[in-house]
Amino acid sequence: MKRGRDLKRLTRRRRKVDGRSVEDPHWWYVRAVPGKFRALDGRRQIWLSTETADLKEAMEVRDRFDRELDAHWRRLQGGSSDDPREQYRAAVERCRAEGFSYVPAARLAEGGLSDLLARLRTLEAIVEERSDGRPDTPPTAREKNAVDALLGLAPEPSITPATLFETFESLTRDERMRKTPDQLRKWRNPRLLAIRNFRAVVGDVSLADMKRSREGIAFRSWLVDQVEEGRLNAASANKQISALARMIGTVSDRMDLDTPRIFERLGLEGVSGQRPSFTTSFLRDRWLTAGALDRLNGIARAILLVVIETGARPAEIATAAPEQFHVDAPIPFVSIEPGSRELKTRHSIRRLRLVGIAIEGARILAAQADGHRYRLVPDNFSAAANKFLADNDLLETEKHSVYSLRHSVKERIREAGMPESVDRYWMGHKYDRPKYGGDPSLELLAGWAKKLRVS
């Protein structure tokens, strides 16, 4: 009986791998959209990967998905809340669901008589939907919410730096349903840092009252001071500006607020350069000599071997499932695809040819049917590998790190003269030009892999 409760809204699904039907080891969350919400949601059934093969973890994710979807549907329907931000947001979403933009009552007349009449006709139709068929009875909660939304009666909330992150986080929940706890931490921390610094500089002024020439310039000036004093580099400063601009813009757009864009064209110049790359001679002479990597734990060593030859992001290999390593295929390759973590971009989905020591590493990772210590926390791999390299004098300079291996492959790609389209596919970067003939074939990738091979 307990097992049936455990499996509520959880299932396995099958997918095609090399022409064969294979069961996905991860649990999937499946839920039908309740009939009363279908007109507002637009979906009949929702499928979301829990990104875990562990039933206990999947149950926790299932419960989180349940809470978030229930809250989402309540807002679409205009559910009640004591929070002015939630009330306003509910009014905006209800208005959009009825086919209108939310407009404060004071500005409704500016939109013209036809728009106002259309809103009144919609309200009349909502009242006529009553089961009792009596328009003279007291309005229901749904009807009150519709009136507030369509006639612009919900008071506009005051968003300040103190409430910005909470509001932004609530408005973008759907964007993070696939993120692991580690990814969520890395997503939150830089945004919270930017808000903390911004708030310390400008205080808790309402976003609606801010000006580019005042709050925007004041925060930029503070960042410039930090850069000049060596406490921050220009790249980090620009990330804080970008994070704040994105949060303010998203909150403004999704809540139909008229918040000024105070960070437009305020980025700092002099962004620091990228990480250095390992030279091929250093890798061959220091890393690939007998026993050089033997004292690194087996899984970390396997990941490192694959990254050396492929140039994949270390986290892409650390979090890959065993079935993504096609070691015994006629042309061995690793398939980079969404697994235990969200990929950086959709362009990150690709196949990378395995050669040399990468095949040895991939074979070890393919045998980890029960997962391994870095599968859900790839940062732990980077920390362990970087410490090992530093302790064993295997860093070419103090500025080098495990991620420098990716730049090493990029450098070898440049020296080999690889076409830009293949280069961007290999590295998982966006390629804006028209794409003819699909992705590069494994045969083509195999030829380039031999030219880039280190081992």
Side-chain angles (χ1 to χ4, degrees):
M1 190 71 181
K2 183 176 182 295
R3 181 73 174 178
R5 170 67 185 91
D6 290 347
L7 292 177
K8 181 182 179 182
R9 294 183 180 141
L10 291 175
T11 188
R12 305 275 198 185
R13 70 186 306 179
R14 305 188 71 82
R15 57 177 178 165
K16 290 286 187 180
V17 176
D18 294 335
R20 297 180 296 110
S21 178
V22 177
E23 185 176 75
D24 190 328
H26 300 117
W27 288 100
W28 283 76
Y29 173 87
V30 185
R31 185 175 181 183
V33 177
K36 62 183 178 179
F37 296 125
R38 284 179 186 166
L40 301 175
D41 190 296
R43 298 171 289 183
R44 296 190 65 82
Q45 194 174 58
I46 295 169
W47 283 74
L48 295 169
S49 174
T50 67
E51 306 296 354
T52 180
D54 183 275
L55 179 58
K56 184 177 180 180
E57 292 179 0
M59 290 166 60
E60 293 175 356
V61 175
R62 182 263 321 274
D63 293 343
R64 174 165 61 87
F65 284 168
D66 274 344
R67 290 193 300 271
E68 292 178 349
L69 283 169
D70 287 341
H72 172 65
W73 289 327
R74 282 197 302 272
R75 284 193 302 274
L76 286 181
Q77 195 180 37
S80 60
S81 170
D82 294 332
D83 187 340
R85 289 170 296 169
E86 285 297 316
Q87 293 174 354
Y88 186 84
R89 183 181 172 192
V92 169
E93 291 185 345
R94 179 63 191 275
C95 219
R96 289 173 180 168
E98 298 294 348
F100 298 92
S101 295
Y102 184 82
V103 180
R107 298 210 320 260
L108 260 183
E110 300 174 7
L113 185 59
S114 60
D115 177 63
L116 181 58
L117 290 175
R119 291 169 187 260
L120 293 173
R121 282 195 293 269
T122 299
L123 286 173
E124 184 179 26
I126 291 173
V127 172
E128 289 176 352
E129 290 176 1
R130 289 185 187 190
S131 58
D132 61 10
R134 297 176 57 193
D136 57 335
T137 57
T140 64
R142 178 172 179 267
E143 291 166 353
K144 289 179 179 178
N145 291 330
V147 170
D148 287 346
L150 292 172
L151 299 186
L153 300 179
E156 187 169 304
S158 175
I159 309 295
T160 69
T163 59
L164 175 59
F165 180 76
E166 179 188 351
T167 307
F168 173 74
E169 187 177 38
S170 175
L171 290 169
T172 57
R173 281 198 305 275
D174 59 306
E175 298 176 10
R176 297 184 303 284
M177 282 188 169
R178 294 173 61 87
K179 290 188 184 295
T180 65
D182 187 55
Q183 288 179 311
L184 286 172
R185 175 184 61 80
K186 293 167 69 175
W187 179 86
R188 286 191 180 101
N189 286 349
R191 290 165 176 81
L192 290 170
L193 173 64
I195 287 180
R196 188 161 58 247
N197 289 335
F198 183 55
R199 189 179 178 188
V201 173
V202 306
D204 264 340
V205 183
S206 170
L207 298 186
D209 296 330
M210 289 186 180
K211 293 183 179 180
R212 181 179 183 275
S213 60
R214 190 174 59 212
E215 283 79 13
I217 295 295
F219 186 61
R220 184 186 190 278
S221 297
W222 180 83
L223 289 172
V224 170
D225 290 343
Q226 302 304 300
V227 172
E228 288 181 343
E229 294 170 11
R231 297 193 185 100
L232 204 62
N233 61 44
S236 297
N238 281 332
K239 285 180 180 179
Q240 293 194 34
I241 289 177
S242 296
L244 288 166
R246 159 96 161 100
M247 286 187 281
I248 292 173
T250 298
V251 169
S252 180
D253 292 342
R254 297 192 182 181
M255 295 186 68
D256 278 356
L257 304 175
D258 192 19
T259 305
R261 301 312 202 245
I262 65 171
F263 290 112
E264 191 173 2
R265 300 188 306 279
L266 287 186
L268 277 66
E269 300 295 330
V271 176
S272 56
Q274 67 177 20
R275 295 176 181 86
S277 61
F278 286 104
T279 60
T280 301
S281 60
F282 184 88
L283 292 175
R284 286 174 175 164
D285 295 343
R286 301 291 295 280
W287 287 37
L288 304 185
T289 55
L293 302 177
D294 286 354
R295 285 178 293 177
L296 181 60
N297 76 74
I299 299 300
R301 179 179 176 275
I303 296 169
L304 204 60
L305 295 181
V306 177
V307 174
I308 289 172
E309 294 288 19
T310 63
R313 298 176 180 93
E316 291 176 332
I317 302 304
T319 60
E323 62 269 17
Q324 291 176 238
F325 297 98
H326 303 266
V327 183
D328 296 320
I331 299 179
F333 69 97
V334 56
S335 176
I336 307 299
E337 57 191 64
S340 61
R341 77 190 297 268
E342 183 180 58
L343 291 181
K344 189 169 184 180
T345 69
R346 65 181 178 83
H347 307 284
S348 298
I349 299 174
R350 62 202 190 281
R351 298 183 298 175
L352 295 174
R353 171 71 162 93
L354 297 170
V355 294
I357 56 174
I359 295 179
E360 175 190 344
R363 195 174 297 281
I364 293 172
L365 296 172
Q368 307 302 309
D370 296 326
H372 56 73
R373 69 178 79 179
Y374 304 121
R375 184 79 194 284
L376 297 178
V377 281
D379 281 356
N380 287 1
F381 158 72
S382 297
N386 281 326
K387 184 178 186 305
F388 172 84
L389 296 174
D391 290 347
N392 291 274
D393 196 25
L394 292 175
L395 293 177
E396 201 160 353
T397 72
E398 292 181 353
K399 294 183 178 181
H400 281 73
S401 70
V402 168
Y403 207 88
S404 296
L405 290 170
R406 183 163 164 80
H407 296 285
S408 300
V409 172
K410 179 65 176 178
E411 184 67 16
R412 299 203 296 275
I413 283 175
R414 185 187 64 79
E415 292 174 352
M418 182 184 286
E420 184 182 3
S421 59
V422 182
D423 173 352
R424 290 189 171 274
Y425 174 84
W426 191 295
M427 300 304 293
H429 291 157
K430 183 178 180 180
Y431 186 60
D432 292 325
R433 296 182 186 178
K435 189 175 180 181
Y436 303 105
D439 295 332
S441 66
L442 279 175
E443 289 77 10
L444 175 64
L445 296 175
W448 285 106
K450 291 178 182 177
K451 295 180 182 180
L452 305 179
R453 182 172 173 174
V454 173
S455 57

